């Protein structure tokens, strides 16, 4: 559509603008800041300060690049992955996660009586049982879902699993769609949300770092020689800090409580109601769902680790717990139907 094309073009322009701004910061850093900071702090501390700046730059570029390049995840992408896996490995499903379930036995299908039956992958130790119960559905496929799931997307005319929303810009359904970000020209969803969160986090830290660096040297003659460029960068960083503080708080809050922007708005406005709770109790477990690790150090480190979930696990769990495709309990529907029948019988008697 015309709207989609215009937004894609705008997104491409804003992505270029991100790297233009980064290039301007790099120019100002090595032209002015790096030359002065070693004299102000001494060689050793000056080099440490410069190394911190380069580390922040790397994290910003790394996470922004992969937030752009990694698809957010969709039923169509998952189906394609399953087809490729079948061609290469002669199976459609992902390997089961080695986690101990309620009975203390691992769900990897290890032979009974062996030690492997009770082993658990270090990656999943310490997670709540709710997370581990959900992970047992990781071996399910889209074809398994077609057997009972009747919810369809009216735009894609294809299967629409739980926690899936259609993006009018990307023109596809996205697993756990948070929003469409124009600065990455991509949807933020299941597979790339961690890159987006780290991008805005390190952008905030980087803007603060750069602003402090400028303030610490702005009475130096070298700064005054480049004051037009450096003052523009300082004003830009101050504006970014003001905006990104609130945006980081909001985005990380949603990640910690296990919700997306779409789900939060839908639940609190009544636009979309779902009685099934997709969230976990602990923030650590909800962050594991996004980052695929429970380690806070690894969470903040650049990584291309695969996500622990495929995106369709919630649909299978909803079905097993007695919910239909719209998050309604089957027992409640049955009660409503029986109530309707009773009312009709009473009206007939009257």
């Amino acid at each position: 559509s015309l709207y989609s094309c215009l937004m894609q073009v705008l997104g491409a322009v804003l992505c270029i603008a991100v790297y233009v701004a980064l290039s301007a910061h790099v120019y100002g850093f090595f032209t002015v800041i790096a030359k002065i900071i070693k004299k102000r702090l001494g060689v050793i501390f000056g080099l440490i300060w410069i190394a911190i700046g380069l580390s922040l730059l790397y994290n910003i570029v790394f996470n922004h690049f992969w937030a752009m390049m990694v698809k957010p995840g969709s039923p169509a992408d998952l189906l394609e992955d399953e087809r490729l896996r079948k061609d290469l490995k002669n199976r459609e499903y992902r390997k089961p996660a080695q986690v101990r379930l309620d009975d203390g036995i691992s769900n990897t299908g290890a032979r009974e009586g062996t030690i492997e039956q009770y082993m658990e992958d270090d990656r999943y130790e310490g997670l709540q049982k709710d997370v581990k119960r959900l992970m047992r559905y990781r071996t399910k496929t889209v074809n398994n879902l077609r057997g009972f799931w009747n919810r369809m997307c009216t735009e894609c005319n294809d299967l629409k699993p739980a926690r899936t929303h259609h993006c009018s810009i990307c023109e596809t359904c996205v697993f756990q769609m948070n929003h469409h970000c124009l600065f990455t020209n991509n949807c933020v969803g299941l597979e790339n949300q961690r890159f987006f969160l780290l991008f805005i986090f390190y952008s905030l830290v980087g803007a603060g770092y750069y602003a402090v660096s400028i303030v610490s040297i702005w009475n130096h003659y070298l700064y005054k020689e480049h004051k037009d460029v450096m003052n523009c960068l300082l004003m830009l960083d101050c504006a970014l800090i003001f905006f990104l503080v609130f945006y980081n708080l909001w985005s990380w809050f949603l990640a910690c409580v296990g919700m997306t922007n779409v789900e939060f708005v839908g639940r609190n406005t009544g636009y979309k109601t779902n009685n099934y709770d997709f969230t976990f109790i602990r923030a650590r477990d909800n962050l594991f769902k996004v980052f695929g690790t429970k380690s806070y150090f690894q969470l903040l480190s650049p990584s291309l680790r695969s996500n622990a979930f495929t995106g369709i696990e919630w649909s299978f769990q909803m079905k097993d717990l007695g919910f239909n495709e719209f998050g309604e309990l089957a027992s409640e529907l049955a009660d409503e139907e029986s109530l309707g029948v009773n009312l009709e019988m009473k009206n007939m008697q009257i």
Side-chain angles (χ1 to χ4, degrees):
S1 66
L2 179 60
Y3 169 74
S4 175
C5 292
L6 289 175
M7 296 304 287
Q8 291 282 357
V9 171
L10 177 60
V13 171
L14 290 176
C15 285
I16 295 172
V18 169
Y19 288 100
V20 169
L22 285 172
S23 300
H25 280 80
V26 172
Y27 169 79
F29 187 82
F30 286 105
T31 304
V32 181
I33 296 175
K35 292 180 179 179
I36 302 173
I37 206 72
K38 288 189 292 184
K39 297 178 181 179
R40 291 288 173 90
L41 298 179
V43 176
I44 295 177
F45 288 106
L47 290 175
I48 292 174
W49 187 256
I50 292 172
I52 292 172
L54 294 176
S55 176
L56 290 172
L57 175 66
Y58 173 77
N59 277 282
I60 292 170
V61 174
F62 178 90
N63 288 294
H64 181 266
F65 177 79
W66 289 111
M68 285 193 304
M69 301 305 296
V70 173
K71 293 183 178 180
S74 69
D77 292 335
L78 181 58
L79 189 60
E80 183 62 26
D81 290 343
E82 291 172 358
R83 287 172 181 166
L84 291 173
R85 194 180 294 118
K86 187 174 183 179
D87 292 338
L88 298 174
K89 301 181 179 180
N90 201 28
R91 59 178 172 84
E92 292 183 339
Y93 57 88
R94 287 182 68 177
K95 285 185 177 180
Q98 193 172 355
V99 294
R100 285 196 297 268
L101 300 177
D102 297 335
D103 53 6
I105 297 177
S106 177
N107 68 328
T108 56
R111 199 171 43 180
E112 188 175 350
T114 61
I115 190 171
E116 288 82 5
Q117 190 179 16
Y118 301 95
M119 291 180 63
E120 185 171 52
D121 194 322
D122 294 342
R123 183 182 177 187
Y124 310 120
E125 287 184 359
L127 296 175
Q128 294 285 71
K129 290 182 179 179
D130 289 345
V131 187
K132 297 177 181 180
R133 291 192 194 105
L134 185 63
M135 294 189 70
R136 66 182 177 181
Y137 299 104
R138 197 172 74 157
T139 57
K140 300 296 185 180
T141 64
V142 175
N143 288 326
N144 296 145
L145 187 63
R146 292 187 193 278
F148 65 89
W149 197 262
N150 299 316
R151 189 182 177 196
M152 304 289 289
C153 176
T154 56
E155 300 291 335
C156 299
N157 196 28
D158 201 358
L159 206 65
K160 189 176 184 180
R163 307 198 76 179
T164 303
H165 303 277
H166 186 86
C167 176
S168 58
I169 299 175
C170 296
E171 296 185 335
T172 186
C173 284
V174 175
F175 288 136
Q176 293 184 54
M177 177 181 171
N178 195 65
H179 68 288
H180 186 96
C181 178
L182 292 175
F183 287 95
T184 61
N185 202 24
N186 198 4
C187 268
V188 178
L190 175 68
E191 296 290 345
N192 64 355
Q193 185 181 6
R194 62 187 182 276
F195 299 118
F196 175 78
L197 287 173
L198 291 178
F199 165 60
I200 61 173
F201 171 75
Y202 283 113
S203 295
L204 172 61
V205 178
Y209 165 90
Y210 208 90
V212 170
S213 300
I214 289 178
V215 171
S216 66
I217 63 161
W218 64 7
N219 60 348
H220 196 275
Y221 77 92
L222 190 59
Y223 177 89
K224 295 177 181 178
E225 290 179 0
H226 299 82
K227 65 178 182 179
D228 292 338
V229 174
M230 301 306 291
N231 287 341
C232 288
L233 291 175
L234 179 60
M235 289 188 290
L236 175 61
D237 288 334
C238 290
L240 285 173
I241 291 169
F242 177 79
F243 171 75
L244 286 174
V245 163
F246 296 103
Y247 194 57
N248 268 275
L249 288 173
W250 173 248
S251 298
W252 283 87
F253 162 75
L254 289 177
C256 288
V257 299
M259 297 182 68
T260 66
N261 269 313
V262 175
E263 291 168 348
F264 182 87
V265 172
R267 178 175 294 184
N268 288 277
T269 60
Y271 174 67
K272 291 183 179 180
T273 57
N274 194 319
N275 295 324
Y276 181 80
D277 188 5
F278 297 110
T279 64
F280 301 127
I281 297 174
R282 297 193 312 178
R284 188 183 188 185
D285 297 326
N286 287 312
L287 289 175
F288 172 81
K289 181 174 60 180
V290 175
F291 291 91
T293 178
K294 63 182 188 299
S295 167
Y296 292 115
F297 175 77
Q298 293 179 4
L299 182 148
L300 293 174
S301 303
S303 172
L304 292 174
R305 73 179 71 87
S306 59
N307 197 288
F309 300 98
T310 63
I312 58 175
E313 291 88 352
W314 287 270
S315 303
F316 287 94
Q317 190 174 65
M318 284 175 64
K319 181 68 174 178
D320 287 350
L321 294 177
F323 289 85
N324 66 4
E325 294 88 339
F326 303 98
E328 300 168 324
L329 277 171
S331 58
E332 292 179 357
L333 291 175
D335 292 341
E336 290 178 1
E337 290 177 0
S338 62
L339 180 62
V341 171
N342 291 332
L343 288 173
E344 288 180 5
M345 292 180 63
K346 286 182 178 180
N347 290 332
M348 291 174 63
Q349 291 175 357
I350 294 173

